[in-house]
Amino acid sequence: MSWFAEVWKEFQIAFLENERYMAYLKGFGMTLEVSFFAVLLGVILGIVLAIAKYMAANHKGCRPLGWIANLYITIIRGTPVYVQMLIIYYIILTSREIPAIVSGVLCFGINSSAYVAEIIRAGIEAVDRGQMEAGRSLGLSEMQTMRSIIMPQAVRNILPALGNEFIVLIKETAIIGGIAVLDVTKAAMNVGANMYNYLPPLLIAAAMYLIVVIILTELLSMFERRMAKSDRR
C-alpha cells in the first residue's frame, strides 16, 4: 500500500503541484491547433495532387503533372517526418521572425498531403466513370463536372479515412517539441525535468492522447454508422 501511496503522490506532484495541469492543457491545445491547421493544409494540397494524378491518367498532355505529383508523394512518404520538420525549420524557414508553430504546421501539412492525396485519388476512382460522361453530356466542362459531381461523391467515400488521418496526425505531432513548440509532450518533459522524474508526466501526456483518440475514434464510428444507414435508405 505504501508503494501505491508513493506512486499516487508522484502523480499528484506531476499534475497538481504549482498548477502544472495548466501546462498540460495549454500544451494539448497547441497540439490540437497544429493538427487542425496541418490537416486543413494537407487536404488542400492533397486535392491538388489527386486531381493532378487524375488528369494525368486521363489526358496525355497532363502526364508531366502526374510525374511531379508521384515524385512529390514518393519523397514525402519515403522520408521521416522528423527529418522533414528539421529541414523546414532549420534550413527553409530560418528567419527568427517566423514562429516555430508555422514550421510545424507546414511540415505536418505537407507530410499529410501525400497520404491525403492517395485517399482522395481512391475516392475519385471509386465514383462510377459514367458520372463524368453524364456531366459532360449536360454541357459541363471536365473541371465543372469534377467540382460539382465527382468530388461531392468522392468526399462522401473518403471522410472516414480523412478522420483516421486526423487521429494519426494528432499522435505524430508529439515530435514537434523538437523545434521548441510547447505541445503536451514538451510540457510533460519540462515537468519531468523539474521533478527529476519523467515517468508520471509522460504517462499523463500519454493518457491525454489516449482519451482524445478514443473520443475521436468513437465519433468517427458513429459518423460511419450514420452514413451506412443513409446508404441503406
Side-chain angles (χ1 to χ4, degrees):
M1 292 298 294
S2 60
W3 180 82
F4 283 105
E6 186 66 26
V7 170
W8 177 248
K9 182 180 178 180
E10 289 291 325
F11 276 94
Q12 285 184 314
I13 294 172
F15 193 70
L16 297 176
E17 190 173 279
N18 299 323
E19 297 185 340
R20 284 173 173 156
Y21 61 89
M22 293 300 298
Y24 294 103
L25 294 178
K26 185 178 180 180
F28 204 78
M30 180 65 70
T31 295
L32 294 178
E33 183 179 348
V34 171
S35 301
F36 174 78
F37 287 108
V39 162
L40 194 61
L41 177 61
V43 168
I44 293 171
L45 293 177
I47 290 173
V48 173
L49 292 167
I51 291 177
K53 294 189 67 171
Y54 176 85
M55 297 296 290
N58 291 277
H59 300 280
K60 292 182 179 180
C62 295
R63 284 182 180 175
L65 290 177
W67 297 335
I68 294 172
N70 284 326
L71 179 62
Y72 174 94
I73 291 171
T74 299
I75 292 173
I76 296 302
R77 295 179 68 174
T79 55
V81 64
Y82 187 68
V83 175
Q84 295 168 14
M85 182 178 67
L86 294 179
I87 290 173
I88 291 174
Y89 182 68
Y90 288 109
I91 300 175
I92 298 176
L93 300 181
T94 56
S95 174
R96 295 183 180 274
E97 296 179 0
I98 300 176
I101 187 175
V102 174
S103 298
V105 170
L106 282 176
C107 168
F108 292 107
I110 290 171
N111 184 267
S112 179
S113 68
Y115 296 91
V116 170
E118 291 300 296
I119 293 171
I120 295 174
R121 180 191 58 79
I124 292 174
E125 292 182 353
V127 178
D128 191 277
R129 291 185 177 272
Q131 297 292 317
M132 176 61 75
E133 297 174 2
R136 298 303 301 273
S137 67
L138 292 173
L140 299 175
S141 67
E142 188 167 2
M143 290 306 297
Q144 287 175 327
T145 304
M146 175 66 70
R147 184 179 65 251
S148 302
I149 298 176
I150 304 297
M151 286 305 296
Q153 296 181 65
V155 167
R156 182 179 178 85
N157 295 330
I158 66 178
L159 278 178
L162 288 179
N164 285 325
E165 175 64 20
F166 181 60
I167 291 172
V168 170
L169 193 59
I170 289 176
K171 294 183 289 183
E172 285 183 343
T173 58
I175 64 172
I176 201 172
I179 56 173
V181 175
L182 190 62
D183 70 323
V184 66
T185 305
K186 184 68 173 178
M189 293 295 291
N190 290 343
V191 172
N194 291 328
M195 291 178 58
Y196 301 101
N197 185 359
Y198 287 94
L199 182 59
L202 289 176
L203 287 178
I204 291 171
M208 294 178 74
Y209 280 111
L210 180 61
I211 291 170
V212 171
V213 168
I214 289 174
I215 292 172
L216 291 176
T217 301
E218 184 57 33
L219 290 174
L220 187 60
S221 298
M222 291 171 59
F223 177 73
E224 290 177 354
R225 288 194 293 270
R226 291 192 63 176
M227 285 184 61
K229 288 181 180 179
S230 64
D231 288 339
R232 290 194 293 267
R233 291 177 183 174

